[in-house]
Amino acid sequence: QVQLEESGGGLAQAGGSLRLSCVASGRIVSFGSMAWYRQVSGKERELVARIAGGGITHYDDSVKGRFSISRDKALRSVYLQMDNLQPEDTAVYFCNARITAAVPDYWGKGTLVTVSS
């Protein structure tokens, strides 16, 4: 059993910054990649950023240049530095860990980010 625990959400003003953290614990596995998704009530969960074990990153166009994903060496912790936050970034942010696309992903419970204008 793998648990993912997010922290760092909260309230920020437009133009401000927040840093999200996610730590994996439990049964030791080797993740192929870790990621952050976000979901607004009534909408589908969407990928924000993903980082692979080799350090290759992928960002949604809406956050490029503002958000930065990073990880620890063992790929058991992942971080999301969010700068120049905008009200449209308001969502519940979920940590994701993937071994391979052939098995179900692991998910955290989510952390709420609220950006006021």
Side-chain angles (χ1 to χ4, degrees):
Q1 188 82 8
V2 173
Q3 293 83 38
L4 301 178
E5 184 171 358
E6 303 102 335
S7 61
L11 177 64
Q13 290 189 329
S17 299
L18 286 173
R19 180 176 170 85
L20 304 183
S21 299
C22 172
V23 179
S25 62
R27 180 173 169 262
I28 297 174
V29 295
S30 178
F31 299 128
S33 68
M34 296 186 77
W36 289 96
Y37 285 70
R38 64 187 180 188
Q39 187 170 24
V40 175
S41 179
K43 294 190 176 181
E44 289 191 1
R45 195 171 295 187
E46 63 178 14
L47 176 66
V48 176
R50 181 172 295 281
I51 186 165
I56 296 173
T57 58
H58 169 80
Y59 294 92
D60 183 77
D61 286 345
S62 65
V63 306
K64 280 181 182 176
R66 299 189 300 120
F67 291 10
S68 177
I69 190 170
S70 60
R71 59 172 175 86
D72 70 331
K73 225 175 182 180
L75 197 56
R76 294 189 64 79
S77 297
V78 66
Y79 310 96
L80 187 68
Q81 178 65 39
M82 304 185 293
D83 297 322
N84 191 21
L85 283 161
Q86 300 301 315
E88 53 266 32
D89 296 317
T90 295
V92 177
Y93 284 71
F94 295 90
C95 179
N96 167 278
R98 177 173 297 170
I99 300 174
T100 73
V103 299
D105 290 356
Y106 295 99
W107 292 92
K109 294 181 179 180
T111 184
L112 178 63
V113 171
T114 303
V115 184
S116 62
S117 57

